[in-house]
Amino acid sequence: QVQLVESGGGVVQPGGSLRLSCAASGFTFSSYGMHWVRQAPGKGLEWVTFIPYDGSYEYYADSVKGRFTVSRDNSKNTLYLQMSLLRVEDTAVYYCAKPDSWGQGTLVTVSS
Amino acid sequence: QSVLTQPPSASGPPGQRVTISCSGSSSNIGSNTVNWYQQLPGSAPKLLFYSNNQRPSGVPDRFSGSKSGTSASLAIGGLQSGDEATYYCAAWDGSLNAWVFGGGTKLTVL
């Protein structure tokens, strides 16, 4: 069955960087566009970014544009999210989504 | 403020039917399909409906989804305590080039 497993979360200081990974299995990863969605503590779902099956373009939410970069390695069935210039308000659980399947999420905490 | 509008809460006694609305615009619900997600406390969102009203295997048929114009609805019949969760609608927005969500509706079974 479809499995999406995020990793790379942790605690980082404001202005710092972090790279998240999402390992995919159980489906043909190279055939599907993928999203990152985040959820701040006690808040709703917020879409972050989308990358199509071939990585030919990317879309970003205004809140992360210029700071986050999505990429994928279809040979490794892995989706990435490079996060830079992190802000306190980026604190959230980050999910990768297929979008008929979601991972369990990885927590990113931005705090001094 | 979410692009898609949902009521923040809904409730009903066991066995009753409740409906959750999701209002959008011509650039999202009006021109693209709607997904619904169920998020149980402490868990990741789970797909409840795709393409407006298509139920993935394993979702009970007392759940139903519909769409009309720029609005969509999720109906849950025969409420059970296990249905207590937050429900989100989502659709692609062709003007924003973004996947937009409703703010979520927290369902309480009284």
Side-chain angles (χ1 to χ4, degrees):
Chain A
Q1 75 279 20
V2 173
Q3 267 207 310
L4 297 168
V5 180
E6 301 93 338
S7 60
V11 181
V12 61
Q13 291 189 336
S17 298
L18 211 55
R19 188 175 88 151
L20 306 183
S21 299
C22 171
S25 60
F27 67 103
T28 306
F29 179 72
S30 58
S31 297
Y32 290 88
M34 297 292 295
H35 300 264
W36 285 98
V37 178
R38 67 185 181 183
Q39 187 170 35
K43 302 296 184 182
L45 301 172
E46 180 192 14
W47 173 79
V48 174
T49 182
F50 170 78
I51 185 168
Y53 71 100
D54 60 357
S56 56
Y57 60 87
E58 304 130 41
Y59 292 134
Y60 296 94
D62 287 343
S63 57
V64 307
K65 204 171 290 184
R67 301 186 299 120
F68 289 13
T69 302
V70 62
S71 62
R72 62 190 298 158
D73 186 337
N74 286 343
S75 68
K76 295 182 178 179
N77 291 342
T78 303
L79 177 72
Y80 301 99
L81 183 65
Q82 178 67 49
M83 305 185 295
S84 304
L85 300 174
L86 282 161
R87 305 168 179 167
V88 170
E89 54 266 33
D90 294 320
T91 295
V93 174
Y94 285 73
Y95 297 101
C96 64
K98 186 176 165 278
D100 58 354
S101 300
W102 295 51
Q104 85 290 347
T106 187
L107 176 62
V108 172
T109 302
V110 184
S111 173
S112 54
Chain B
Q1 182 129 351
S2 302
V3 174
L4 304 182
T5 301
Q6 297 180 237
S9 63
S11 63
Q16 195 171 62
R17 174 184 170 94
V18 295
T19 301
I20 297 171
S21 61
C22 174
S23 178
S25 68
S26 58
S27 62
N28 42 67
I29 294 178
S31 51
N32 294 293
T33 60
V34 177
N35 287 0
W36 286 93
Y37 297 93
Q38 177 193 59
Q39 187 174 35
L40 296 169
S43 297
K46 169 194 160 188
L47 182 68
L48 213 51
F49 284 94
Y50 63 97
S51 297
N52 307 324
N53 57 10
Q54 300 302 298
R55 202 184 300 114
S57 60
V59 175
D61 60 7
R62 56 190 185 83
F63 289 84
S64 61
S66 64
K67 177 183 129 172
S68 178
T70 59
S71 294
S73 292
L74 171 69
I76 308 172
L79 273 178
Q80 301 177 3
S81 58
D83 298 333
E84 287 202 330
T86 300
Y87 294 84
Y88 294 92
C89 57
W92 184 258
D93 190 301
S95 292
L96 298 174
N97 284 326
W99 194 24
V100 294
F101 288 87
T105 299
K106 185 172 183 180
L107 175 65
T108 302
V109 180
L110 301 170

